[in-house]
Each structure stands twice: as structure tokens, then as C-alpha cells.
Amino acid sequence: MLIKNITLIDENYDVIKDTNILIEENTIIYIGKEIPKYYHGEVYDGKNKVASPGFFNTHCHVPMTLLRGYGEGLPLDRWLSEKIWPFEKLLTNEDCYYGSLLGIAEMIKSGVVSFNDMYFNLEGISKAVFESGIKANLSYGYADIEGRKDYFNGPAYKETKALNEYIESINSDRIKADVSIHAVYSSSEESVSKISEYCNSRGMNMHIHLSETELEVAECKKRFGLTPAEYFLNCGTFRSNTTAAHCVYLEGDDFSILKENNVSIAHCPSSNLKLGSGIAPLKTMMEHGINVTIGTDGAASNNNLNMLEEVNLAALLHKGTNKDPLFLNSKEMMKISSLNGAKAQGRFNSGVIKVGNRADIVIYDFDKPHMQPIHDVLANILYSAEANDICLSIIDGKIVYKDGVFTNIDIEKVYYNVNRIKNEKLKIINK
Ligand SMILES: [Zn+2]
């Protein structure tokens, strides 16, 4: 496929006007002013459009779209124990398949090409990922619950193993199987150490929640005399390539521990604000050189998976709290939401648009009142654009979304099924 005569955000986040991008199978094979004479295939006209690297949503629980807006107006502990957990207990693989398709549609529509997920029913989630065309690092969020304290005899290990087998069978690296420990407070030290060792021995990525609330940190200190970051370091968790979500309450040596162990942080500003958790110290993280990325978290605590909105919020929030309009400039913000996320996922051939990389390209239509005139392309994307301005999304060389239509998702069928599932579960819960 040839994208002709387009404005491009290149690998240094510089803007190149009137250029051409040639894609062969899943890879970008040429970028340049001349249209390759040998090419006679499909052509996309890029006039008044901008080709941008796709976003990497590094923290999500995608089937939780099924719980969007459920149990609003309750304090966190009651919201979890009275609403979220009883609903989640009823979810099947088929339910998670439809919930995931809904979330994936929402993500693709807002410029996401890949996401990190932590949930259960990985069979349903991975089927949705594979069919939709998006990329994802999927993991089972392990916790010592319901007496299942032996990782290797429980569903987390079983589902992770099955996911690895599925990935082999589809022969695609769009899906990766990661390992996940839900959080410090939901597992024993023995479990955390055992799972960390397994993850490291297999060379898999690790995904955790870390220091999300003040209470979590206070209880960890009481239990172990350590901060959650020190605790996971001691358990060997950070020997694997780790993404730690939230990190709102990092302190003291936590920053250098995360930096030295190459831990990436998934900053989830909407979720942290909506759940009243607080505001993560992004400036200190970045001063320590930590790989900061952006995540939406699940739709139950956000309440959407609109990555463009999340990136916009992060940029505004930290300029405001730091009283520094120069903090997180446009190039930095684009890098945090694309390349840094690809690195966190261990996808080193993605994250920027350059020859040799996977063709993960999101195209914005600038022919809109709020996108004109164009002084600064990046600023228009970060501060003026709406998800509806995305007119084409290419992942691994394939068009997954064009002019409001999903190539591989029957969105009406998804709407029908998520509402059917919602009604069925509520009927059981309210019986
Ligand atoms: Zn989360």
C-alpha cells in the first residue's frame, strides 16, 4: 500500500510535508519525496492528512468495558466489593470476548495500535485481539484469592500456558503473553517470588499495579517494612522487563530502583483522578530518566479507553501541577505515548514511523474547523484533535479502521451482545 502526498511525523517527531510512505506486508519499506516507479498497487491519498505513530496504551483491563458506569457514586471499597467483584465473578470467556471487542474498537478509534492488558479469561480476550487486528500484551492478573495460592495449579498459570500455545498456533507476534501480579496487597510474598522467578526464567514481560494509593503504601510498610517498589525488588520481580501501573505514591529510593531496573511506568491520570487516588509525580520520574508511558486503565474507572483524551489530560495536568508550561513539550508527549510504550511492551520494531519498522500508522484528517490553521502539527494533534479526526488506522500493515468503519469488528453485533451480557448478569445479581 502506498500513502501518497502526506504530512508525516517522523522518527524524531519532526514534521515532514508532502512525502510518501510505502508499506509491504507488515513493514514500512520506503519513505520519501519520490513515488517509487515500480509500485502499481493500492494508493491512499494523504492530502490534508497527517500520518502519526500509533499510541501504546500500556495499562488496561479491556473486558471491563462491560462494567462502564456500573456502581457510580460509591466509595472505592464498597464499589469493588458490592459491584465490581460480584459482576466479574460471572464473566465467561464469551463475555470477555465481546467486552474486549468493544474496548478494542474504542481504542482503535482513538489511535491505539497496541495495548497492555491484565485480566482473566484470556481465551476470550486473545480471540478478540486476533480478530480485530490490534496488537496486545495480555496477562492474567494473579491474586491469592479463593484459596488458590498455588500459581502453578491455578487458572493464572493454566491460562497463560494456553495463551502461549494459542500464539504459537496463530503464528503471529501481534499477541504476546505476559505475566502479571495484581498488586502487593493481593498476594503473599511466597507467591510473588515464585511467579517472578517463573516470568524471569521464561523471558516474559511482567505487568503489575504499584503504589496506586496511600493506603497500599502504608499497609506494605506495616507488613514488610518496605515500600511496594522495594518489596517487588526484593522478590526479584524487576528482573523481568516490567511495566508498573499508576506509581502515584513513589518516594525516596523508589525512583532510582525503578530506573536502575528498567521498569516502565504506566501513568493513568484519568483513573487516578476519578478514583481519588491522587496525581503521580511525573516530573520526578522523568528527572530520574524512568521510561514513562500512558495507560487508560479499565473503563470501569476512567470511564473510557480514549487514548487521545488520556494523552491530552496527562500533558495538561502536569503542566498545571508543576506550574511549568514547558514541561512535557509536544515531542516529548508524543514519544511517551508511542515509542516509550512500544519499548515497555518489548516491541522494538514499532513506536515510530521509519523504514524497517512495522507499519503502525494512524492518520488524522486536518480538514476540520478545529484543526486549522496549522502552525504546529503536533500541538493540533495533542491539544485540538478529537478521536473522530482519525480517518485511517493501519496496524502491522493492515487497515483496521477507515472513515468510521472497523474492518474486522461488526460493531452493531458487539453493541447487541454487550447489552445482552449486561442485562443477563444484572438479572442474576439482583435475584
Ligand atoms: Zn489497573
Side-chain angles (χ1 to χ4, degrees):
M1 180 188 183
L2 176 74
I3 303 168
K4 199 180 76 174
N5 193 25
I6 198 158
T7 299
L8 163 74
I9 298 170
D10 77 1
E11 59 188 293
N12 302 310
Y13 300 94
D14 287 326
V15 173
I16 314 289
K17 283 187 178 159
D18 301 324
T19 194
N20 305 286
I21 307 167
L22 188 58
I23 299 165
E24 196 176 275
E25 293 184 353
N26 60 11
T27 305
I28 299 166
I29 60 162
Y30 168 83
I31 296 172
K33 296 278 175 192
E34 302 289 324
I35 294 176
K37 288 200 175 61
Y38 59 86
Y39 183 75
H40 299 288
E42 187 187 349
V43 176
Y44 182 82
D45 185 5
K47 191 166 171 273
N48 299 334
K49 296 190 167 86
V50 173
S52 170
F55 293 134
F56 285 70
N57 177 6
T58 52
H59 184 62
C60 193
H61 313 279
V62 67
M64 289 188 89
T65 50
L66 295 168
L67 292 97
R68 190 195 322 267
Y70 181 51
E72 290 288 328
L74 286 175
L76 186 64
D77 54 341
R78 285 189 57 202
W79 176 67
L80 286 171
S81 61
E82 293 174 24
K83 296 291 176 181
I84 301 298
W85 293 336
F87 194 107
E88 283 186 325
K89 238 185 183 164
L90 301 173
L91 292 177
T92 65
N93 269 304
E94 198 216 3
D95 301 335
C96 286
Y97 165 74
Y98 283 112
S100 298
L101 279 180
L102 183 68
I104 290 166
E106 212 185 331
M107 282 194 260
I108 287 176
K109 202 175 172 305
S110 65
V112 175
V113 293
S114 187
F115 68 103
N116 260 10
D117 209 72
M118 180 199 289
Y119 213 59
F120 54 94
N121 289 341
L122 300 184
E123 189 189 326
I125 302 170
S126 56
K127 191 172 162 226
V129 169
F130 184 63
E131 284 178 14
S132 68
I134 203 167
K135 305 188 206 208
N137 286 32
L138 303 179
S139 62
Y140 187 110
Y142 179 82
D144 286 336
I145 45 168
E146 296 159 23
R148 298 188 306 234
K149 291 192 180 176
D150 184 355
Y151 178 72
F152 294 103
N153 284 311
Y157 177 71
K158 212 171 105 194
E159 287 201 23
T160 307
K161 195 165 162 269
L163 178 62
N164 269 318
E165 286 162 9
Y166 175 66
I167 291 167
E168 248 173 64
S169 76
I170 58 174
N171 192 25
S172 164
D173 60 4
R174 273 201 292 114
I175 306 177
K176 282 175 185 267
D178 289 2
V179 173
S180 168
I181 298 163
H182 172 264
V184 60
Y185 53 85
S186 47
S187 286
S188 69
E189 196 173 353
E190 194 195 337
S191 293
V192 172
S193 300
K194 225 195 256 177
I195 297 166
S196 300
E197 199 185 305
Y198 164 72
C199 181
N200 192 38
S201 71
R202 294 295 173 102
M204 293 160 86
N205 300 308
M206 175 63 80
H207 189 177
I208 59 173
H209 288 114
L210 188 77
S211 300
E212 180 176 359
T213 64
E214 260 176 323
L215 182 71
E216 173 191 335
V217 176
E219 281 184 347
C220 183
K221 284 182 180 170
K222 211 159 100 190
R223 205 168 139 208
F224 303 107
L226 301 167
T227 66
E230 290 168 337
Y231 168 76
F232 279 113
L233 176 73
N234 274 9
C235 292
T237 310
F238 297 154
R239 283 203 288 269
S240 300
N241 178 41
T242 303
T243 296
H246 304 304
C247 300
V248 179
Y249 291 97
L250 296 182
E251 58 182 66
D253 291 340
D254 290 352
F255 295 96
S256 49
I257 287 171
L258 298 187
K259 170 61 188 165
E260 281 161 21
N261 291 278
N262 293 316
V263 175
S264 296
I265 291 173
H267 173 46
C268 307
S270 292
S271 170
N272 298 155
L273 290 172
K274 186 155 191 296
L275 296 181
S277 305
I279 297 172
L282 217 72
K283 198 164 197 177
T284 316
M285 292 171 185
M286 291 180 64
E287 282 165 359
H288 280 80
I290 297 169
N291 188 50
V292 172
T293 67
I294 304 289
T296 57
D297 207 350
S301 57
N302 181 314
N303 290 359
N304 64 44
L305 307 181
N306 182 339
M307 196 53 186
L308 189 63
E309 187 183 282
E310 205 68 34
V311 174
N312 173 272
L313 174 64
L316 295 180
L317 181 64
H318 297 284
K319 284 174 170 55
T321 51
N322 288 289
K323 296 179 184 160
D324 181 2
L326 304 184
F327 180 50
L328 292 177
N329 66 44
S330 298
K331 280 190 179 182
E332 219 159 32
M333 209 54 233
M334 283 302 283
K335 181 173 170 283
I336 285 172
S337 47
S338 56
L339 187 65
N340 288 11
K343 189 177 155 198
Q345 289 196 335
R347 297 181 186 274
F348 299 104
N349 55 5
S350 193
V352 288
I353 300 177
K354 68 172 186 183
V355 172
N357 259 18
R358 289 295 170 87
D360 298 327
I361 302 172
V362 172
I363 296 181
Y364 292 78
D365 183 359
F366 271 50
D367 250 354
K368 302 280 182 78
H370 58 278
M371 298 296 273
Q372 295 286 331
I374 308 167
H375 291 286
D376 183 329
V377 167
L378 293 183
N380 278 21
I381 289 178
L382 292 171
Y383 300 108
S384 307
E386 297 161 3
N388 279 339
D389 301 332
I390 293 170
C391 52
L392 189 79
S393 186
I394 299 169
I395 302 176
D396 258 16
K398 295 213 167 60
I399 294 174
V400 296
Y401 178 76
K402 190 178 181 185
D403 299 329
V405 178
F406 299 95
T407 314
N408 308 313
I409 301 172
D410 180 346
I411 200 71
E412 293 298 331
K413 188 176 165 193
V414 173
Y415 295 157
Y416 169 80
N417 278 290
V418 294
N419 281 291
R420 172 187 59 79
I421 292 161
K422 182 208 83 173
N423 292 335
E424 282 172 11
K425 304 305 171 202
L426 291 185
K427 212 168 155 188
I428 297 169
I429 289 168
N430 296 327
K431 205 159 61 182

